[in-house]
Amino acid sequence: MHGEYKVPGGKLVVVDLEAADGVLRDVRVAGDFFLEPDEAILAIDRALEGAPVDTDASGLAARIDAALPPGTEMFGLTSEGIGVAVRRALAHATDWTDYDWQLIHDAPQSPALHMALDEVITAEVAAGRRPPTLRVWEWGAPAVVIGSFQSLRNEVDAEAARRHGIEVVRRISGGGAMFIEPGNTITYSLSVPEALVSGLSFADSYAYLDDWVLGALGDMGVKAWYQPLNDIATEAGKIAGAAQKRVVGSVAGGGTRTGQGAVLHHVTMAYDIDADKMLEVLRIGREKLSDKGTTSAKKRVDPLRRQTGLPREAVIERMIDSFRGRYGLTDSRVTDEELARARELVTEKFSTPEWIARVP
C-alpha cells in the first residue's frame, strides 16, 4: 500500500507499507523533507512497524515521537504528517495527479443558481458522471451567503440588505456568513471524489484542499497560511474562508449505494471590500470576534487587491494557471443537463423562504 501527504506549509511525505495479521509491516517512510540525524528515518520506520492497523494518526505520531533519537530535527515534516500518510495508505487514498481535472469558469450567475450548481456538480462527481472539477464563480449580483446551520435573523439585517439591493441565500455547507460584491469577491469550488481525502480527518482535509491556493498566493507575493478550521490568513489578517459538504454517491434500487461519494470544498476570498456596508448588513457579534484578537470586524479582513497590487482578473488567472501547472486542467462547462437540474433546484429549494429561513 502506498500513501502520500503534503504537510501543510511543509514537504511531501510518502509511506509504503503492508498490513498483515492486523498490524503494519515493511513500513518505509520517504519524502523531500529534511531530517537530522540520519538514523532518525530508521527509528521512524521501526516505530511504525507492528502498529495496529486501526491506530489513528495521533496514535501513530505518539509512537514516532517516543522513538526519535534525542535532538532530532524535522524540517517540512511532522510526526502527525507521517501518521496521516500512513492512514491514507491504509485507506487506499488517491492523489491529485490521479485525476483529469476540469475547469468551469462561466459567465456571471445569480447567487441562488451558484448555490444550486455547487450541489448539482458535486452530486455528479459523487455519482462518477463528472471528473473532479474546479469551478471559478462569477457573481451576477451582490449577496450575503449564510451557512447551512446559521440563524437568518441573527446573521443578517434584512432591512439593510434590502436597502443595498443585496440578495440573501443559504448554501448547503456549514460555516459563517459571507458578504459578496461581484467586483470585490473571488469564489471557487472544488468538487472532488471522496477518495482524494481518504485517511484525512475533517480538519486535515481543509488544509489539504487549500494547499494549492496557498502556493498560488505565494507566487503572487502573498505569504498566506491555513488557519484552523477554515480560514486562509496572512500577517495582515484573514483573506478567505472555506466550507465543506460531504455528498454520498447515488442510491440505486433496493437502497444499494453506487458511485464514489464526493466532497464539496468552496472558498470565498476578499479581493476588495466595502467594510462599512458589510457591517450594516451582517450582524457580527462580539462573541464571534472574541477569539480573533481584534475588536473590529474591519480589521479581520485584508483584501487581496492591496496585498497583490493586481487586477481581480489577473489574480484569478494566476490561480488557475497555478492549479493547471500542478495537476493539469482541461477547460469544461456546465452541461445542459446540469444547468437544467440546477435551475430546478433554484425554484424548488434555494430561492424558497422555507430553505432560506430554515433556521429563522
Side-chain angles (χ1 to χ4, degrees), residues 14-45:
V14 180
V15 176
D16 292 285
L17 56 82
E18 299 295 335
D21 300 322
V23 299
L24 305 184
R25 297 295 186 199
D26 300 324
V27 182
R28 295 293 181 270
V29 175
D32 59 355
F33 48 80
F34 300 92
L35 180 64
E36 294 289 348
D38 279 355
E39 56 266 26
I41 191 69
L42 299 177
I44 292 171
D45 291 344

Short mmCIF file of all heavy atoms in Angstrom, two decimals, residues 14-45:
data_model
loop_
_atom_site.label_atom_id
_atom_site.label_comp_id
_atom_site.label_asym_id
_atom_site.label_seq_id
_atom_site.Cartn_x
_atom_site.Cartn_y
_atom_site.Cartn_z
N VAL A 14 5.90 10.32 1.95
CA VAL A 14 5.47 9.13 1.22
C VAL A 14 5.67 7.91 2.11
O VAL A 14 6.75 7.76 2.70
CB VAL A 14 6.27 8.96 -0.09
CG1 VAL A 14 5.81 7.72 -0.84
CG2 VAL A 14 6.15 10.20 -0.96
N VAL A 15 4.66 7.08 2.20
CA VAL A 15 4.75 5.86 3.02
C VAL A 15 4.35 4.66 2.18
O VAL A 15 3.30 4.67 1.53
CB VAL A 15 3.83 5.95 4.27
CG1 VAL A 15 3.88 4.64 5.05
CG2 VAL A 15 4.25 7.11 5.16
N ASP A 16 5.20 3.64 2.19
CA ASP A 16 4.88 2.35 1.59
C ASP A 16 4.85 1.31 2.70
O ASP A 16 5.76 1.29 3.56
CB ASP A 16 5.91 1.97 0.54
CG ASP A 16 5.83 2.89 -0.68
OD1 ASP A 16 4.90 2.71 -1.47
OD2 ASP A 16 6.70 3.77 -0.81
N LEU A 17 3.84 0.46 2.70
CA LEU A 17 3.69 -0.49 3.80
C LEU A 17 2.82 -1.66 3.37
O LEU A 17 2.17 -1.63 2.33
CB LEU A 17 3.09 0.20 5.03
CG LEU A 17 1.74 0.93 4.87
CD1 LEU A 17 0.56 -0.02 4.94
CD2 LEU A 17 1.60 2.01 5.91
N GLU A 18 2.82 -2.68 4.19
CA GLU A 18 1.90 -3.80 4.07
C GLU A 18 1.14 -3.92 5.38
O GLU A 18 1.55 -3.38 6.42
CB GLU A 18 2.66 -5.10 3.79
CG GLU A 18 3.47 -5.09 2.50
CD GLU A 18 2.62 -4.98 1.26
OE1 GLU A 18 1.44 -5.39 1.32
OE2 GLU A 18 3.12 -4.49 0.24
N ALA A 19 0.01 -4.60 5.31
CA ALA A 19 -0.77 -4.90 6.52
C ALA A 19 -0.98 -6.40 6.58
O ALA A 19 -1.45 -7.01 5.62
CB ALA A 19 -2.12 -4.18 6.48
N ALA A 20 -0.58 -6.99 7.71
CA ALA A 20 -0.71 -8.45 7.89
C ALA A 20 -1.06 -8.74 9.34
O ALA A 20 -0.47 -8.15 10.26
CB ALA A 20 0.59 -9.15 7.50
N ASP A 21 -2.02 -9.61 9.54
CA ASP A 21 -2.45 -10.01 10.88
C ASP A 21 -2.82 -8.81 11.74
O ASP A 21 -2.58 -8.79 12.95
CB ASP A 21 -1.34 -10.82 11.57
CG ASP A 21 -0.99 -12.08 10.81
OD1 ASP A 21 -1.91 -12.72 10.26
OD2 ASP A 21 0.21 -12.43 10.73
N GLY A 22 -3.40 -7.81 11.10
CA GLY A 22 -3.91 -6.66 11.85
C GLY A 22 -2.87 -5.64 12.25
O GLY A 22 -3.19 -4.71 13.02
N VAL A 23 -1.64 -5.74 11.75
CA VAL A 23 -0.60 -4.77 12.11
C VAL A 23 0.15 -4.31 10.85
O VAL A 23 0.07 -4.94 9.79
CB VAL A 23 0.40 -5.35 13.13
CG1 VAL A 23 -0.31 -5.73 14.43
CG2 VAL A 23 1.14 -6.55 12.54
N LEU A 24 0.89 -3.21 10.99
CA LEU A 24 1.69 -2.68 9.89
C LEU A 24 2.97 -3.47 9.75
O LEU A 24 3.63 -3.81 10.74
CB LEU A 24 2.03 -1.21 10.14
CG LEU A 24 0.87 -0.25 10.41
CD1 LEU A 24 1.41 1.19 10.54
CD2 LEU A 24 -0.18 -0.33 9.31
N ARG A 25 3.34 -3.76 8.49
CA ARG A 25 4.58 -4.49 8.21
C ARG A 25 5.33 -3.81 7.06
O ARG A 25 4.73 -3.16 6.21
CB ARG A 25 4.28 -5.95 7.81
CG ARG A 25 3.62 -6.77 8.89
CD ARG A 25 4.54 -6.96 10.08
NE ARG A 25 3.98 -7.88 11.08
CZ ARG A 25 4.39 -7.93 12.34
NH1 ARG A 25 5.37 -7.11 12.75
NH2 ARG A 25 3.85 -8.78 13.18
N ASP A 26 6.64 -3.99 7.04
CA ASP A 26 7.51 -3.49 5.96
C ASP A 26 7.27 -2.02 5.70
O ASP A 26 7.10 -1.58 4.54
CB ASP A 26 7.28 -4.30 4.68
CG ASP A 26 7.59 -5.78 4.87
OD1 ASP A 26 8.54 -6.08 5.62
OD2 ASP A 26 6.90 -6.61 4.26
N VAL A 27 7.27 -1.21 6.75
CA VAL A 27 6.99 0.22 6.63
C VAL A 27 8.25 0.95 6.15
O VAL A 27 9.34 0.77 6.71
CB VAL A 27 6.54 0.80 7.97
CG1 VAL A 27 6.20 2.29 7.81
CG2 VAL A 27 5.32 0.04 8.50
N ARG A 28 8.09 1.78 5.15
CA ARG A 28 9.18 2.61 4.65
C ARG A 28 8.66 4.03 4.45
O ARG A 28 7.74 4.25 3.66
CB ARG A 28 9.73 2.07 3.33
CG ARG A 28 10.40 0.71 3.45
CD ARG A 28 11.69 0.79 4.27
NE ARG A 28 12.35 -0.51 4.39
CZ ARG A 28 12.12 -1.39 5.36
NH1 ARG A 28 11.24 -1.09 6.31
NH2 ARG A 28 12.75 -2.54 5.39
N VAL A 29 9.27 4.97 5.16
CA VAL A 29 8.89 6.38 5.06
C VAL A 29 9.93 7.10 4.21
O VAL A 29 11.14 6.89 4.38
CB VAL A 29 8.80 7.03 6.45
CG1 VAL A 29 8.51 8.54 6.33
CG2 VAL A 29 7.71 6.36 7.27
N ALA A 30 9.47 7.95 3.28
CA ALA A 30 10.37 8.70 2.41
C ALA A 30 9.74 10.06 2.13
O ALA A 30 8.62 10.36 2.58
CB ALA A 30 10.61 7.93 1.10
N GLY A 31 10.45 10.90 1.38
CA GLY A 31 9.92 12.20 1.00
C GLY A 31 11.01 13.22 0.76
O GLY A 31 12.20 12.93 0.89
N ASP A 32 10.58 14.46 0.42
CA ASP A 32 11.55 15.51 0.13
C ASP A 32 11.76 16.43 1.33
O ASP A 32 12.16 17.58 1.19
CB ASP A 32 11.12 16.31 -1.10
CG ASP A 32 9.76 16.97 -0.94
OD1 ASP A 32 9.09 16.74 0.08
OD2 ASP A 32 9.37 17.73 -1.86
N PHE A 33 11.50 15.92 2.51
CA PHE A 33 11.69 16.67 3.75
C PHE A 33 13.17 16.64 4.16
O PHE A 33 14.01 15.97 3.54
CB PHE A 33 10.82 16.09 4.86
CG PHE A 33 10.90 14.58 4.98
CD1 PHE A 33 11.96 13.98 5.63
CD2 PHE A 33 9.90 13.77 4.43
CE1 PHE A 33 12.04 12.60 5.75
CE2 PHE A 33 9.98 12.39 4.53
CZ PHE A 33 11.05 11.80 5.19
N PHE A 34 13.48 17.32 5.25
CA PHE A 34 14.82 17.32 5.84
C PHE A 34 14.73 16.77 7.25
O PHE A 34 13.80 17.10 8.00
CB PHE A 34 15.39 18.74 5.87
CG PHE A 34 15.50 19.36 4.51
CD1 PHE A 34 14.46 20.14 4.01
CD2 PHE A 34 16.63 19.18 3.74
CE1 PHE A 34 14.54 20.72 2.76
CE2 PHE A 34 16.72 19.76 2.47
CZ PHE A 34 15.68 20.52 1.98
N LEU A 35 15.68 15.93 7.60
CA LEU A 35 15.62 15.22 8.88
C LEU A 35 17.03 14.98 9.39
O LEU A 35 17.89 14.49 8.67
CB LEU A 35 14.89 13.89 8.69
CG LEU A 35 14.71 12.98 9.89
CD1 LEU A 35 13.82 13.64 10.95
CD2 LEU A 35 14.10 11.64 9.45
N GLU A 36 17.26 15.35 10.62
CA GLU A 36 18.55 15.10 11.28
C GLU A 36 18.29 14.50 12.66
O GLU A 36 17.35 14.91 13.34
CB GLU A 36 19.35 16.40 11.44
CG GLU A 36 19.79 17.04 10.14
CD GLU A 36 20.89 16.27 9.43
OE1 GLU A 36 21.47 15.36 10.06
OE2 GLU A 36 21.14 16.56 8.25
N PRO A 37 19.13 13.50 13.09
CA PRO A 37 20.23 12.87 12.36
C PRO A 37 19.70 11.83 11.36
O PRO A 37 18.51 11.51 11.35
CB PRO A 37 21.01 12.19 13.48
CG PRO A 37 19.96 11.84 14.49
CD PRO A 37 18.97 12.98 14.46
N ASP A 38 20.60 11.29 10.54
CA ASP A 38 20.21 10.33 9.51
C ASP A 38 19.45 9.13 10.07
O ASP A 38 18.50 8.64 9.46
CB ASP A 38 21.45 9.82 8.76
CG ASP A 38 21.91 10.80 7.70
OD1 ASP A 38 21.22 11.81 7.48
OD2 ASP A 38 22.97 10.55 7.09
N GLU A 39 19.90 8.66 11.24
CA GLU A 39 19.31 7.43 11.78
C GLU A 39 17.86 7.64 12.23
O GLU A 39 17.16 6.67 12.55
CB GLU A 39 20.14 6.89 12.93
CG GLU A 39 20.37 7.85 14.08
CD GLU A 39 21.68 8.62 13.94
OE1 GLU A 39 22.16 8.79 12.79
OE2 GLU A 39 22.21 9.04 14.98
N ALA A 40 17.41 8.88 12.27
CA ALA A 40 16.03 9.14 12.69
C ALA A 40 15.04 8.48 11.74
O ALA A 40 13.97 8.03 12.16
CB ALA A 40 15.77 10.64 12.78
N ILE A 41 15.36 8.40 10.44
CA ILE A 41 14.43 7.81 9.49
C ILE A 41 14.22 6.33 9.79
O ILE A 41 13.11 5.79 9.67
CB ILE A 41 14.90 8.02 8.04
CG1 ILE A 41 13.79 7.63 7.05
CG2 ILE A 41 16.17 7.25 7.74
CD1 ILE A 41 12.60 8.55 7.06
N LEU A 42 15.29 5.65 10.23
CA LEU A 42 15.17 4.23 10.59
C LEU A 42 14.36 4.08 11.87
O LEU A 42 13.59 3.13 12.00
CB LEU A 42 16.57 3.62 10.76
CG LEU A 42 17.46 3.66 9.51
CD1 LEU A 42 18.84 3.08 9.82
CD2 LEU A 42 16.81 2.91 8.36
N ALA A 43 14.53 5.03 12.78
CA ALA A 43 13.75 4.99 14.02
C ALA A 43 12.26 5.15 13.73
O ALA A 43 11.41 4.53 14.38
CB ALA A 43 14.24 6.07 14.98
N ILE A 44 11.94 6.00 12.76
CA ILE A 44 10.53 6.20 12.38
C ILE A 44 9.94 4.92 11.81
O ILE A 44 8.84 4.49 12.19
CB ILE A 44 10.41 7.36 11.38
CG1 ILE A 44 10.76 8.68 12.05
CG2 ILE A 44 9.01 7.41 10.77
CD1 ILE A 44 10.89 9.86 11.10
N ASP A 45 10.69 4.28 10.91
CA ASP A 45 10.20 3.03 10.32
C ASP A 45 9.97 1.98 11.41
O ASP A 45 8.95 1.28 11.42
CB ASP A 45 11.20 2.49 9.30
CG ASP A 45 11.29 3.35 8.05
OD1 ASP A 45 10.37 4.18 7.83
OD2 ASP A 45 12.26 3.19 7.29
#
